[in-house]
Each structure stands twice: as structure tokens, then as C-alpha cells.
Amino acid sequence: MARHLITSALPYINGIKHLGNLVGSQLPADLFARYMRARGHEVLFLCATDEHGTPAELAAAKAGKDVADYCAEMHDVQAKIAEGFRLSFDHYGRSSSPQNHALTQHFAGRLAEMGLIREVTEKMVYSNADGRFLPDRYIEGTCPNCGFDSARGDQCDNCTKQLDPTDLINPYSTISGSTDLEERETKHLFLCQSQMRDTLQAWIDSKTDWPVLTTSIANKWLNDGDGLQDRGITRDLDWGVPVKKGGADWPGMEGKVFYVWFDAPIEYIACAQEWVDAGKGNDWERWWRTDKGADDVTYTQFMGKDNVPFHTLSFPATILGSEEPWKAVDYIKSFNYLNYDGGQFSTSRGRGVFMDQALEILPSDYWRWWLLSHAPESSDSEFTWENFQQSVNKDLADVLGNFVSRVTKFCRSKFGEEIPAGGALGETETALINELTTRLRAYEDHMADMEVRKSAQELRAIWVAGNEYLQTAAPWSTFKEDPEKAAAQIRLALNLIRFYAVVSAPFIPDASAQLMAAMHTDDTSWPEDVATALETLAPDHAFTVPDVTFRKISDDEREEWQEKFAGKRES
Ligand SMILES: [Zn+2]
């Protein structure tokens, strides 16, 4: 039994996320966590809301709420939606937790001791119209690197170059649109990432099994131009973790908070403390401290490609720079973007399907299946309603759902609602078992490698094999000449339903639970040996014909939804 620490990128607090966000981190992380648990491994799966920073302040102001209240409410909203999608977090924490406050202050103090923090009096952009310093993300302008005209003050979304607001050409406030900006002096703390460059390069170079998508982004940031730059870790804001040196005050930094990029990833660790403090676990250090048992932990992070620089460089700079025995990430699984019906998802224009809306129109398994089987791994992928309808109707309804329906109904009509006895398996059954064995081993390999689409393809092929067997064996014909043989065939097929429930559960947990209930079993043991697994339900074991496992999406529904989620078009 191995030990797996799994984290998903932390969703930001200021609103409900769309399906592209879901498939870019939380959902594949859940798939992996569920699979590892199903194989008997010990798993700690953590996620949390990322709650600090100006966007939270602004969203709260817009909602007319105190920012702490707003974050508490939105955390509960996001937690409920996560439950709706059956995201099996061991704990869904909050970056605003007292645990994260203390740990963030600890890391800052420790990094200062290690000589990796310097105080900088810098000029920051102050907006006269807004009456405040503007955080980087609230200044936009033209990128000096590529000429993109909506580059943010911290990073250009077009060329991914890390920027300072003062680099921008023709900058303006995104709060008020005002160009009446001036530079004012203010003191901030900087993390000396440049001093960590060789350490980080050696660490990245040691990750020979990481995908090129991940290492190329890290290497670009490490080496492009002047290389990795020192970065400010504090801000002139009210909402956030107060700047302290461990438990002590930090002279000159009164009234300032840590910048959200510094405290958010530390929440991965603090979340494990929250998990213990919530009474769900009893030892977080054996997951996070290599001197206290975390040496044998495999730590995997899931995230969208835009989050890779923070997880390959910034957070490791904190972890490695502390020279304390923290567990560092072993593998980063990153994703490209999911586009929506010929364009991008857009929160501001209401374009695309958001997580709460998705659950209002169909159960989570429909979405989980489509999203995972079309995960944007090697390149961006696109959601279209035609493809969604086709995939649900074919894979889920025609292949898996139909198999279950035919087998259980046929058995009920000819043998009653229990596993029939008698007969023996023949060559057709042996061929099926051989095919299932080959495919299951391939599925296991893909799942262990986090090859999400390949896993889905293999699982679909496993479902198809059952249907093809049913066509070939045709127990309804066999029954007329040789009822004993038909009994053996249908006994195998009924066992195959349990088999499907077990191996499909990481993808479609609700349907799997429904099938397990229909088969009157809670034996979720993984089919290490397929032939043995297909004898689990013995003769005379009762079952119930389940209600429709998956329904089809009609053309009318597809058109209605397509219209409903199109959003306001750009003129
Ligand atoms: Zn650019």
C-alpha cells in the first residue's frame, strides 16, 4: 500500500467556476484520488478556496457585504457544488483559516532568517480616482513584449510573460478605467527568488518524468531574459494575512498583508492542519514533514497550465528556501484549456456552462464522463453540445446503460431476480475474459499515469466488450435450446455489472453506486483477476432491475441548452 497526497489547484473565491475550471484541476484530481483509494492506497486529497486579494474585496463590495462574510458564504456555496460533483476531498479548506495565517507568517519569518527576504521601498501605482494603490491585476495596458493590448500588471495572458505594472504601455485602472495613475513610494517585502535559481533549476532538472508542458514553462521562467526575478510578497490591502515574522511583529510592515500568491499555496499544507482540527484526521505532519513520516508519500498536484509557474517555481522557492523538511511535489499534472462552443468560457459575458447550472440540468455523472473523456491534456479541447449529446447518448446510455438494462430484464423474465445457477462457460466467455483482462491492465496503467483521456477510452472499450459479448452469446436465443448455457451466460453478464460498477466508479461514482445497489452488493474489491471477479455474485444471490441508469439527451434539449448558455455575443 502506497501513500498519496493529492491536491487540486485552489479555486478563487469570487464566484462559481465554469466547467473549464472544473476539468482543469479538481475533477481529474478527484478521478486520481478515487482510483488510488479503490486500489487500496492511503490517500489524502485536499483542496480549498483561495480567498485573499483584491478580487475578493471587490466582489464583496459589489455584493454589499463584508469581505469576511462574503468569503464564508462563497466558500459554502463552492463546497456544496463540489459535493454535487462528488469531488471526494478529504477536506475542503479555506486559505483565510487561522492555520494558514500562522503558517504563512511562519514561512515568511523563516525565509527572512535564511536571508531570502529583502525590504524594498518601491514605487507602486496609485490611482487618484480610486483613492488606493492598485494591485497588479487591476492595472491593464499594452504588453511591452508582444503588444497584446489587455495585458495585466502581473502577467500577459497572451505571451505569459511575467510583468510589473510599470512595464505596461498606456496603463489604466480596471476598477474605474481611469488613466490618472501615479507612482507613490511604499515599502514591501520581496522573496529573493533569484538567489534560489540554481536550487530550483537543479530541482526541476531532477524531475525527468514530468511532462514537457510542465518543465518547459518552468524553464522559460527560470531562464528567459534575466532569469527568475525576486517578487514582492506583500501588498497594501486590508484583507489578507497580516505581515508578521513568525509570531512577532515586522517593524515597518504594519497594516500590510501578504500577497495572495504567497499565502495561497501554503494553504495546501494548512489545509491538512484544518483536516486534523476538524476531527477528520489525526496527524498532518506524516503527510507533509519528511522528518515525520512523509518520506514515503507521493505528492501529486493537479492544475491548469496558467498555474504551472507558481507551482514549479514560486511555491517551491518557499518550501526549498525554508530549508525545513517539508514535502515537495513529486509530480505535477497540468492541463490545457477547455473552450466553449467555438470560443472561450466567459464569466463576464455569461458564456458557457457554470458548475451550478450544469447540476441543475443533468446529474453530475453525465458531466464527469464527458469532461474527463475529453480532458484538455495534449492540447486545448472544446465543449460542443452536439459532442456532449452524442457522447452521453452513445457511451453512457447505449453502451453501459443498455447493457445493464438488457441483462437484468432478461434475467428477471427468464430466471427471476436472482443470479441463475447451472451451465458452464465456453470459448466465447474465455475470449471475453481475456479481452477484459488485457483492457483492464491497460486501464490501470493509464489511470496510474494520470492519462485521463486514454483511461476513458479504455473504460469505454471495456463497456463495449460486454455489449459485443451479449450480441455474440445472445442468451435470449441460447435460452430456447440450452437454458443451462443461457444461465451461465447471464450469470457472467450480471457479474459484469458489478465489475463495471467497480472499475467505473472513479469516473461515474453515482451510477456505480446505483449499480452496486441494484446488484445487492457492497463488494467493491478491485478485480485483480477478472475470471475470479466475474464469479463474485454466486447463484441465488438476489438483484433488482435498476431504474434507467443513463437517459438520453433529446435534440430539443440540446438546442434549448445551446441557446440558454450562449451568453451575450460580442458585437
Ligand atoms: Zn505579451
Side-chain angles (χ1 to χ4, degrees), residues 143 145-146 148 156 159:
C143 173
N145 190 48
C146 73
F148 179 58
C156 173
C159 68

Side-chain angles (χ1 to χ4, degrees), residues 84-394:
F85 275 95
R86 306 295 181 250
L87 302 175
S88 59
F89 307 129
D90 289 295
H91 190 71
Y92 191 56
R94 304 182 59 188
S95 71
S96 63
S97 67
Q99 292 88 342
N100 196 39
H101 276 232
L103 197 59
T104 299
Q105 290 162 345
H106 163 80
F107 270 111
R110 176 70 187 174
L111 291 165
E113 276 171 34
M114 302 308 292
L116 290 170
I117 301 274
R118 60 188 173 92
E119 293 184 8
V120 175
T121 299
E122 61 173 355
K123 288 180 174 172
M124 291 283 288
V125 176
Y126 189 87
S127 166
N128 289 306
D130 299 307
R132 61 183 294 168
F133 284 100
L134 290 183
D136 297 354
R137 296 166 60 93
Y138 285 83
I139 308 162
E140 285 188 1
T142 302
C143 173
N145 190 48
C146 73
F148 179 58
D149 65 5
S150 301
R152 289 201 317 257
D154 57 346
Q155 188 179 358
C156 173
D157 281 338
N158 189 50
C159 68
T160 76
K161 189 175 172 62
Q162 192 179 342
L163 297 170
D164 279 323
T166 48
D167 296 336
L168 294 171
I169 301 160
N170 301 325
Y172 57 89
S173 160
T174 60
I175 302 172
S176 60
S178 172
T179 55
D180 181 14
L181 309 179
E182 63 177 49
E183 292 188 352
R184 284 192 188 177
E185 283 199 342
T186 179
K187 194 162 89 170
H188 282 293
L189 301 180
F190 271 60
L191 176 61
C192 303
Q193 295 190 136
S194 59
Q195 288 184 42
M196 293 291 297
R197 188 175 159 189
D198 291 348
T199 305
L200 291 167
Q201 184 72 64
W203 182 70
I204 293 288
D205 290 347
S206 75
K207 304 299 182 187
T208 50
D209 61 331
W210 284 12
V212 176
L213 177 65
T214 305
T215 51
S216 64
I217 294 172
N219 279 316
K220 193 171 143 81
W221 279 47
L222 273 171
N223 301 307
D224 269 16
D226 297 329
L228 190 62
Q229 301 296 300
D230 296 348
R231 271 205 101 185
I233 61 166
T234 55
R235 277 292 177 267
D236 291 291
L237 291 180
D238 296 327
W239 175 238
V241 179
V243 177
K244 287 195 167 192
K245 199 179 275 186
D249 288 340
W250 204 312
M253 299 306 295
E254 296 81 6
K256 296 174 194 279
V257 298
F258 287 107
Y259 196 1
V260 60
W261 78 257
F262 184 70
D263 81 68
I266 295 170
E267 169 62 13
Y268 288 138
I269 306 173
C271 188
Q273 300 179 343
E274 291 176 47
W275 167 71
V276 170
D277 293 343
K280 299 175 187 170
N282 50 31
D283 187 355
W284 66 271
E285 289 184 314
R286 66 188 281 270
W287 291 98
W288 275 109
R289 295 281 298 210
T290 55
D291 59 336
K292 295 185 177 166
D295 253 343
D296 65 351
V297 167
T298 301
Y299 177 23
T300 309
Q301 295 175 338
F302 288 78
M303 70 198 65
K305 63 184 171 187
D306 53 328
N307 263 321
V308 169
F310 294 101
H311 290 78
T312 52
L313 302 169
S314 304
F315 185 44
T318 299
I319 292 277
L320 301 176
S322 76
E323 294 187 28
E324 292 174 331
W326 297 105
K327 175 71 194 168
V329 67
D330 293 300
Y331 192 81
I332 290 178
K333 174 71 178 178
S334 62
F335 291 84
N336 287 285
Y337 296 135
L338 178 70
N339 293 317
Y340 179 79
D341 216 0
Q344 291 184 335
F345 280 88
S346 168
T347 307
S348 56
R349 285 184 290 127
R351 188 167 193 282
V353 187
F354 289 76
M355 286 171 72
D356 55 338
Q357 298 169 325
L359 292 177
E360 282 164 16
I361 61 176
L362 284 170
S364 62
D365 280 350
Y366 294 65
W367 300 106
R368 289 178 63 106
W369 174 251
W370 190 89
L371 290 166
L372 290 167
S373 61
H374 295 77
E377 287 180 301
S378 54
S379 61
D380 290 353
S381 61
E382 186 179 23
F383 178 92
T384 67
W385 286 100
E386 288 81 3
N387 188 310
F388 179 65
Q389 179 192 28
Q390 192 184 20
S391 187
V392 164
N393 290 0
K394 194 156 173 272

